[in-house]
Amino acid sequence: MNNKTPEQEIECLKNSKELELLLLNNSDEALYFYSMDGKLIFINAAFEKITGYTTKELYESNFIPFVHPDDQEWTMRLWEGLYKGKIFEDVEYRIIKKNGEIRWSLSTWKIVSNYDGVQIGIQGKQQDITSRKQNEKEKDKRADELILANEEKERLLQKLKRAASVLSSAQESIMITDSTATITEVNDAFSYITGYSPDDVLGKNPRILQSGRQSPEFYVEMWDAILTKGHWHGEIWNRRKNGDIYPERMTISAVKSDAGLVQQYISVSTDITDIKTYQGQLEHIAHFDSLTNLPNRVLLADRLRQAMMQCQRRNLSLSVAFLDLDGFKQVNDLHGHNVGDELLVAVSQRMKDALREGDTLARIGGDEFIAVMIDLEKPEDSEPVLERLLKSAAYPITVNDIEMQVSASIGVAFYPQDGVTSDQLMRRADQAMYGAKQAGKNRYHHFDIAQDNAVKIQLENIDNIRSALDRSEFVMHFQPKVNMRTSEVIGVEALIRWQHPVRGLIASLEFLSTIEGHAISLEMGEWVIGAALRQISQWQNIGVNLPISVNISAYQLQQKNFATRLAALLSAHPDVNPHCLELEILETSVLSDISQASATMKTCHELGVRFALDDFGTGYSSLTHIKRLPAYLIKIDQSFVHDMLEDVDDLAIVESVIGLAKTFKREVIAEGVETIEHGAALLQLGCELAQGYGIARPMPAADIPEWLDTWKPHDPWQAFKG
Ligand code: C2E
Ligand code: MG
Ligand code: MG
């Protein structure tokens, strides 16, 4: 038993080696000692702990086995340096513990000499710094990650900046939402179109744009398309901030992650208010007479066809009454057009009131109207209505304190008795109307056998035309088409004339209507194309290079072999570039099969021939035609151009046709430009191409070269140059 006091104990230790050993083994620092030849001869307890080996196991072992293979080479070199007197402090390297674990250690090595200066060994101390190293590594990793993240951020930022500039300069309104349909981004165009600033909408649901015009099913279908196909495209009515409802053409796409999860929805849309407005205007123009607001010929034809089908189904009759006012020309001549117009408005309103519900009154020309009376048990049933019509037309009317009176001559045809097609019915009623005029006016006349004679006369006319064609009595006149701004002559239109041996030069409309829809019109149509090609070739020979446009009836275009015939005509003139031939399609409204017409036009286009739509704006569904028929040029009908300087309606129509042409990227030409003012007004509206008496009247081919030499545009048009 130990009975020493602590003081005595210390005194004892002071003089023994034990104290040193005690200190060494209680040190947290691992300590060791190698002999000069590199054999381990001492380690303390801390070192045992760090390496996992016992003193016994390590005794006389070499330094190397503890060191991690990757660090052996360079630590050995340091070790050699020790013999040259160097001291190495804080050397960091990896060791491998007995259990295989890799640890980081921090060591200091130096050679130890005895009092006599003789080197006796190498003293080392070592610390485990694994956890510090791990922290450092962690920090480095984090730093690296931070750098990478910053670079990525920068790249993204650049990308975003680029995207933002695309976004803000885009014409289309762009809206981006996150996957929960919360708006995260909108561009300038969006704000411009909707009136909402980004602050108004960010964080909200696009629902705030809803107009309420679409049914819930509409949105169901929309979302179905987005979720199944990834996108939706269509037209939609939305509401602006100010409450206005407007139409948009919109594409919504879902942006998905690599894993297929929706991250964003992007909608890109264009405001199509203008297109819809033109469409509306044109639909109205196409169906209604702008003075009286009565249905026009086009809508009438449609209603008549419907009514005829109804009659057949119900086994009833209908009557078509063709009305022409008596004495209207005198009113116009005496009191002027304005008074004449007011009279027309008043009379048409009264006549309309004279009809029964379901009947139609249409204005089909200056003072010509057609009434369709439906659901008649027998023809006589229309008589009371006809009497009322006569009475209402003949009722005195006061305009500007002037009392006037006209009357109506009415021709009546019945369906099914008098005709099989709607055209025939109207023609027969028209013929009957002449009977009413001849019989003394202010009365009605039924179509009767006398009209058959008229048909015979018409057939005689066809015979006349047939022989005129054989005798080469038809000639072409040419009317120049120019660019008013640049003064360039862009071509000429070929217009047919009949050089009659007795009656002289006959205008085209006088004989073309006779052969309308008849086989001979096809023959004549081909003759015209041939004549135009010959003319191009002749002019080419004297150095005049002018494209010629030729009028083609819808009836001709609809012939199955049209493209083949055209190809044959072109191949007969190999010296003519087909691009010099242009075809103006007349009466597009009667095209029964738009797809077929469009296909024929495409085939002809492949031959090099170009197309124009003539008399644009007068027909039915102009919008459909401009959209679906591959014509490069739109000709604004001269009836609109004629009155555009006085009549705001006509001006609006001209403007909307120009706008429509622009929207559909077609060129546009105005026909019937009679004065300098017409030209200037058109230039102002952005229509540069023109044709009309104000530039040149149609003339024989021989006069064209001289006209080309002398023509110069009018001074006021020059202002638009440049
Ligand atoms: P369109 O194709 O619209 O031709 C324009 C008509 O307007 C021509 O009448 C022309 O002389 C006339 N015109 C030109 N500038 C003015 C102007 O400033 N003021 C006025 N008031 N009229 C002007 P045209 O030659 O009597 O022909 C009438 C229509 O007959 C043509 O209308 C076209 O539909 C048809 N047509 C003429 N030649 C042919 C042809 O060779 N084949 C076919 N299928 N139809 C033709
Ligand atoms: Mg024409
Ligand atoms: Mg025309």
Side-chain angles (χ1 to χ4, degrees):
M1 128 138 224
N2 191 347
N3 47 11
K4 285 180 194 145
T5 63
E7 289 78 21
Q8 287 169 325
E9 193 80 37
I10 288 294
E11 206 47 41
C12 237
L13 278 174
K14 260 196 216 164
N15 298 319
S16 79
K17 282 272 175 220
E18 247 178 78
L19 178 63
E20 282 167 35
L21 267 176
L22 196 72
L23 285 175
L24 283 173
N25 279 328
N26 278 320
S27 161
D28 286 337
E29 214 166 29
L31 300 168
Y32 49 90
F33 194 85
Y34 280 87
S35 61
M36 285 305 280
D37 58 356
K39 297 260 164 45
L40 189 60
I41 52 174
F42 170 80
I43 59 172
N44 70 347
F47 190 80
E48 272 187 7
K49 213 167 117 199
I50 286 179
T51 62
Y53 291 101
T54 62
T55 313
K56 217 165 148 199
E57 282 167 326
L58 290 179
Y59 190 69
E60 290 218 329
S61 73
N62 180 299
F63 160 75
I64 287 305
F66 314 121
V67 181
H68 190 282
D70 290 350
D71 291 338
Q72 287 177 356
E73 205 185 310
W74 64 271
T75 46
M76 265 316 284
R77 236 175 288 127
L78 295 188
W79 201 255
E80 281 157 14
L82 289 168
Y83 294 97
K84 293 179 188 140
K86 289 203 174 132
I87 295 171
F88 294 102
E89 285 180 348
D90 300 335
V91 185
E92 290 180 6
Y93 61 101
R94 284 158 294 178
I95 61 157
I96 298 176
K97 279 177 69 168
K98 187 181 171 188
N99 64 7
E101 201 184 328
I102 298 170
R103 307 289 297 181
W104 276 95
S105 56
L106 179 76
S107 290
T108 298
W109 301 313
K110 62 179 181 193
I111 295 271
V112 182
S113 305
N114 65 9
Y115 295 114
D116 300 329
V118 179
Q119 296 182 334
I120 52 166
I122 297 158
Q123 171 193 319
K125 57 179 185 183
Q126 186 158 340
Q127 247 179 296
D128 187 309
I129 56 164
T130 308
S131 61
R132 194 195 86 200
K133 272 291 196 193
Q134 267 165 357
N135 284 344
E136 272 174 15
K137 206 165 145 196
E138 205 55 38
K139 260 195 227 150
D140 283 355
K141 202 169 129 202
R142 256 182 272 135
D144 281 351
E145 278 170 1
L146 212 63
I147 291 169
L148 276 176
N150 278 337
E151 280 170 3
E152 178 68 8
K153 229 189 202 162
E154 184 60 24
R155 262 201 306 276
L156 266 176
L157 207 66
Q158 292 305 333
K159 224 170 158 179
L160 277 176
K161 273 188 188 155
R162 275 198 304 273
S165 82
V166 171
L167 271 183
S168 66
S169 58
Q171 299 282 310
E172 287 87 8
S173 147
I174 300 175
M175 173 170 67
I176 303 178
T177 74
D178 63 14
S179 60
T180 66
T182 301
I183 302 174
T184 56
E185 186 108 33
V186 293
N187 69 346
D188 294 349
F190 172 92
S191 300
Y192 180 76
I193 290 170
T194 63
Y196 285 111
S197 72
D199 283 348
D200 291 335
V201 294
L202 294 186
K204 306 231 167 92
N205 185 288
R207 212 176 291 129
I208 61 168
L209 296 173
Q210 277 184 12
S211 64
R213 275 216 195 169
Q214 276 88 214
S215 62
E217 294 80 54
F218 175 91
Y219 291 103
V220 169
E221 268 173 39
M222 174 201 261
W223 278 104
D224 188 52
I226 297 171
L227 296 175
T228 55
K229 287 189 275 174
H231 58 86
W232 174 84
H233 181 76
E235 282 180 15
I236 187 166
W237 289 91
N238 272 339
R239 188 189 297 275
R240 300 187 217 273
K241 190 178 180 182
N242 65 8
D244 286 353
I245 289 176
Y246 68 103
E248 281 193 304
R249 190 168 290 149
M250 184 181 277
T251 303
I252 303 178
S253 316
V255 181
K256 292 186 179 166
S257 67
D258 292 343
L261 294 173
V262 173
Q263 294 182 311
Q264 287 175 324
Y265 296 103
I266 300 183
S267 90
V268 178
S269 44
T270 349
D271 185 338
I272 52 168
T273 309
D274 287 351
I275 294 180
K276 288 274 176 198
T277 312
Y278 297 139
Q279 185 175 0
Q281 279 173 353
L282 280 166
E283 291 300 321
H284 196 84
I285 296 163
H287 297 103
F288 293 90
D289 167 49
S290 67
L291 178 68
T292 60
N293 227 15
L294 290 177
N296 64 8
R297 189 188 281 277
V298 177
L299 185 54
L300 169 77
D302 197 46
R303 291 213 183 148
L304 181 54
R305 274 193 293 268
Q306 301 284 344
M308 287 163 72
M309 282 193 292
Q310 286 274 337
C311 269
Q312 232 167 14
R313 234 175 281 141
R314 299 202 210 151
N315 228 352
L316 292 169
S317 293
L318 64 76
S319 79
V320 172
F322 193 110
L323 300 98
D324 187 288
L325 297 186
D326 311 314
F328 178 70
K329 190 171 178 297
Q330 287 87 312
V331 171
N332 247 351
D333 291 348
L334 214 61
H335 306 293
H337 284 272
N338 288 345
V339 172
D341 282 356
E342 285 197 41
L343 177 112
L344 281 176
V345 173
V347 170
S348 58
Q349 188 55 50
R350 286 203 184 139
M351 295 196 301
K352 197 175 160 209
D353 294 343
L355 295 176
R356 303 155 313 157
E357 209 184 342
D359 294 347
T360 297
L361 180 68
R363 181 175 177 224
I364 57 159
D367 61 350
E368 292 172 339
F369 300 82
I370 283 183
V372 178
M373 289 158 264
I374 57 168
D375 292 346
L376 307 173
E377 299 279 348
K378 49 191 186 309
E380 301 84 84
D381 290 352
S382 68
E383 273 165 20
V385 187
L386 290 166
E387 291 294 346
R388 284 209 297 276
L389 276 173
L390 284 175
K391 225 184 241 158
S392 59
Y395 206 82
I397 285 165
T398 311
V399 178
N400 295 351
D401 295 333
I402 312 163
E403 198 185 77
M404 290 164 291
Q405 192 172 13
V406 291
S407 59
S409 292
I410 306 178
V412 190
F414 291 102
Y415 179 79
Q417 294 88 321
D418 289 337
V420 280
T421 70
S422 55
D423 279 351
Q424 265 175 338
L425 263 183
M426 289 192 280
R427 254 202 304 272
R428 290 185 173 182
D430 187 4
Q431 284 164 18
M433 187 273 294
Y434 279 102
K437 288 257 186 212
Q438 276 164 357
K441 303 177 179 168
N442 192 18
R443 67 195 62 217
Y444 62 86
H445 222 255
H446 291 294
F447 171 77
D448 63 26
I449 199 70
Q451 269 63 45
D452 279 345
N453 295 334
V455 173
K456 271 194 202 119
I457 292 166
Q458 201 203 16
L459 282 175
E460 265 174 38
N461 283 342
I462 287 179
D463 277 349
N464 288 344
I465 292 170
R466 157 95 271 148
S467 40
L469 201 56
D470 293 341
R471 286 196 299 266
S472 306
E473 287 177 3
F474 293 102
V475 294
M476 300 312 295
H477 278 196
F478 298 90
Q479 188 179 31
K481 301 189 288 180
V482 304
N483 183 316
M484 296 182 285
R485 190 175 64 80
T486 64
S487 359
E488 189 195 351
V489 178
I490 58 163
V492 292
E493 175 173 11
L495 296 158
I496 196 167
R497 304 283 182 263
W498 184 354
Q499 189 65 62
H500 195 279
V502 182
R503 292 171 60 196
L505 200 65
I506 301 177
S508 47
L509 290 178
E510 274 188 51
F511 55 89
L512 287 179
S513 54
T514 313
I515 59 168
E516 201 181 290
H518 194 282
I520 195 173
S521 72
L522 301 175
E523 203 178 316
M524 187 181 283
E526 288 197 9
W527 178 82
V528 173
I529 297 176
L533 291 170
R534 268 196 305 281
Q535 192 57 60
I536 296 172
S537 165
Q538 277 170 22
W539 275 335
Q540 243 168 228
N541 291 339
I542 55 164
V544 172
N545 291 304
L546 268 188
I548 295 185
S549 55
V550 165
N551 293 286
I552 297 292
S553 68
Y555 176 61
Q556 184 154 19
L557 181 75
Q558 289 184 114
Q559 298 304 308
K560 289 255 165 1
N561 63 352
F562 181 77
T564 326
R565 297 293 309 154
L566 181 64
L569 286 163
L570 284 169
S571 64
H573 296 273
D575 57 326
V576 172
N577 180 348
H579 218 60
C580 290
L581 182 68
E582 190 176 295
L583 303 180
E584 297 188 2
I585 305 182
L586 305 168
E587 329 131 296
T588 42
S589 57
V590 307
L591 285 173
S592 53
D593 183 347
I594 298 283
S595 317
Q596 191 219 324
S598 163
T600 303
M601 286 168 76
K602 277 198 191 107
T603 314
C604 298
H605 208 262
E606 279 157 20
L607 298 171
V609 175
R610 298 187 300 169
F611 284 91
L613 301 184
D614 208 347
D615 307 333
F616 192 81
T618 53
Y620 191 69
S621 280
S622 306
L623 194 77
T624 313
H625 297 139
I626 199 172
K627 231 156 85 176
R628 298 191 46 202
L629 299 177
Y632 87 101
L633 182 70
I634 304 298
K635 286 192 105 172
I636 311 174
D637 189 65
Q638 53 176 291
S639 61
F640 306 129
V641 177
H642 189 264
D643 293 332
M644 65 179 282
L645 299 177
E646 299 91 39
D647 185 330
V648 287
D649 279 352
D650 283 351
L651 181 67
I653 292 166
V654 170
E655 250 184 302
S656 73
V657 173
I658 294 171
L660 199 67
K662 274 215 182 95
T663 307
F664 285 95
K665 303 202 169 50
R666 305 288 202 264
E667 289 187 39
V668 61
I669 185 167
E671 56 179 27
V673 174
E674 293 191 348
T675 64
I676 299 173
E677 291 73 34
H678 280 110
L682 286 158
L683 279 166
Q684 194 77 50
L685 294 176
C687 174
E688 299 178 353
L689 308 181
Q691 174 183 357
Y693 296 166
I695 296 155
R697 285 184 175 257
M699 60 187 100
D703 294 351
I704 287 284
E706 196 196 327
W707 180 86
L708 287 174
D709 284 344
T710 51
W711 186 70
K712 62 178 181 39
H714 304 289
D715 285 341
W717 298 355
Q718 299 289 65
F720 294 87
K721 212 168 179 149

